[in-house]
Amino acid sequence: MAAEKIVILTGAGISAESGLGTFRDEGGLWAQHRIEDVATPEGFARNPALVHSFYNARRVQAAEAAPNAAHEALARLQRDWPGEVVIVTQNVDGLHEKAGARAIHMHGELAGALCAACGQRWPAPMEMAPGTACPACTAPAGRPDIVWFGEIPYHMEIIAEHLQSCDLFASVGTSGQVYPAAGFVQEAAYSGAHTVELNLADSDISRAFDDHRIGPASEVVPAWVAELLASL
Ligand SMILES: [Zn+2]
């Protein structure tokens, strides 16, 4: 038991209580825009100024946000659990790191800039603008290092290896609507892992999980982590 490997997928629901909205929320940043305008490569090609201003605003929001009790609990689990604890996040906000955890960012990070011409990455300034020059190739092709709809998520090979080798898989605050992340539970279960869903409400893929903890992330995640650490 003590050497069990745990993989935790986190989504927007874990950051909602830190004040960061998602594209499914009414009101807030996302509600003012269409997804195809601000979160697709085609939208960026059409209107880079709009896309940069949208992510500049999200970057400021994320910089001002603080991790909540759920982020803190996962950082505690990663620190105190004797086996490996891998956090894979769909979030781009950096709140896991602010809480002191390490996470694999499958959808990129607001803190990062990416050259669309050569693939170079560098720390994003708070304000990006169209024509931002790449520090490696000098092309005016800087864009947010965010995986947009229609693009392939990052680190999929290493994530698959973690899913196939874990004993316990947990999903925290994810809708189950965005693939490939929505398929992680089947991948982990197929490899023999016990699976737990922690979410505000049942999701589209709840039936795929062995166990469920329903409630706000800031309550159900610390309780679940305390249970795990008490089982040692
Ligand atoms: Zn470049």
Side-chain angles (χ1 to χ4, degrees):
M1 180 76 191
E4 280 196 344
K5 173 171 174 170
I6 304 173
V7 173
I8 302 159
L9 171 69
T10 68
I14 195 172
S15 291
E17 290 171 78
S18 291
L20 300 178
T22 78
F23 62 87
R24 284 184 195 81
D25 292 342
E26 293 173 27
L29 262 181
W30 282 98
Q32 301 157 29
H33 301 284
R34 298 187 313 160
I35 286 171
E36 50 269 44
D37 289 337
V38 294
T40 64
E42 294 78 16
F44 186 62
R46 272 198 307 273
N47 192 343
L50 172 72
V51 175
H52 276 303
S53 72
F54 175 75
Y55 285 97
N56 288 343
R58 291 191 67 196
R59 198 175 291 113
V60 168
Q61 270 193 340
E64 290 170 351
N68 62 56
H71 297 98
E72 307 282 0
L74 294 186
R76 189 159 60 246
L77 184 66
Q78 199 173 51
R79 190 184 62 231
D80 294 346
W81 185 253
E84 190 179 2
V85 176
V86 177
I87 298 171
V88 177
T89 188
Q90 298 173 281
N91 299 336
V92 296
D93 54 44
L95 291 182
H96 285 300
E97 285 77 7
K98 271 193 192 170
R102 296 176 310 282
I104 296 172
H105 285 264
M106 61 181 294
H107 289 166
E109 296 180 70
L110 286 166
L114 169 70
C115 175
C118 79
Q120 175 76 17
R121 290 191 166 82
W122 67 98
M126 285 306 282
E127 294 249 332
M128 291 189 75
T132 297
C134 168
C137 75
T138 73
R143 55 166 276 184
D145 189 10
I146 301 286
V147 176
W148 286 324
F149 289 88
E151 296 183 318
I152 297 167
Y154 298 152
H155 314 298
M156 290 308 294
E157 279 184 29
I158 183 77
I159 292 168
E161 284 172 22
H162 286 309
L163 291 170
Q164 287 156 18
S165 60
C166 71
D167 304 292
L168 174 58
F169 171 77
S171 173
V172 178
T174 71
S175 65
Q177 291 175 329
V178 178
Y179 280 83
F184 288 0
V185 58
Q186 280 99 339
E187 211 168 331
Y190 187 74
S191 300
H194 183 74
T195 58
V196 189
E197 180 176 57
L198 301 96
N199 209 12
L200 197 51
D202 276 340
S203 74
D204 291 1
I205 55 167
S206 287
R207 276 175 302 169
F209 290 85
D210 299 318
D211 193 5
H212 304 87
R213 309 293 170 93
I214 302 290
S218 65
E219 292 172 18
V220 294
V221 177
W224 175 70
V225 166
E227 242 175 75
L228 284 171
L229 292 175
S231 74
L232 292 172

